[in-house]
Amino acid sequence: MNAGHIYIVYTTLTRPPKDKITLCICAAENLFFWINTEPRHHNIGQLQLTETDHKALSHDCFLDCSRVTTFSAAELDSAQHRGAISSKLAQRIVNLLETEPPRTLPPRHLRLAIENLSALFV
């Protein structure tokens, strides 16, 4: 796993279990943001993405920066790597996190996401 990379993870965290597109924000701590078709109902930390933002995206969707998710070792072992996000997308995410920090995201996770994603465009 690499921070700033997209992975498709078959997860049992959803009902029913399914493939989820995720963005790794901290490989060392197994932390991911989910990419969802629709924004979460609370509308906190939702970054709209278009299918042109990454080759793994087949339609417009939303990066949910309101919380992080971790996965089991088995889920990570079978995850499909889809490559790094662009420096432009990394900048957009960091800009959202810095200008509108999601109040639902713990400060430590916020710092990790900003630090790790900033490394993609420094």
Side-chain angles (χ1 to χ4, degrees):
M1 298 290 135
N2 295 296
H5 288 234
I6 299 283
Y7 295 89
I8 298 176
V9 180
Y10 184 78
T11 182
T12 58
L13 294 174
T14 61
R15 297 289 177 242
K18 65 179 181 177
D19 284 331
K20 286 294 293 182
I21 302 175
T22 64
L23 172 65
C24 180
I25 61 158
C26 183
E29 295 192 31
N30 179 18
L31 301 176
F32 295 81
F33 286 151
W34 281 18
I35 298 174
N36 300 306
T37 300
E38 300 293 329
R40 300 300 83 185
H41 68 280
H42 51 66
N43 207 30
I44 298 167
Q46 306 298 297
L47 180 65
Q48 186 165 11
L49 304 175
T50 68
E51 65 180 293
T52 60
D53 282 319
H54 194 275
K55 63 185 176 188
L57 305 177
S58 60
H59 52 78
D60 294 354
C61 50
F62 293 83
L63 179 67
D64 183 2
C65 301
S66 69
R67 67 183 189 100
V68 296
T69 300
T70 62
F71 296 104
S72 70
E75 289 171 323
L76 294 177
D77 287 345
S78 64
Q80 302 168 45
H81 181 236
R82 293 294 191 245
I85 61 172
S86 67
S87 61
K88 182 178 176 180
L89 179 53
Q91 286 176 313
R92 284 179 46 216
I93 298 166
V94 168
N95 184 57
L96 171 75
L97 295 173
E98 289 179 336
T99 61
E100 301 173 46
R103 66 179 185 273
T104 55
L105 191 63
R108 189 174 73 76
H109 292 161
L110 178 66
R111 284 190 305 274
L112 282 170
I114 291 171
E115 178 181 311
N116 291 335
L117 297 176
S118 292
L120 298 175
F121 60 85
V122 193

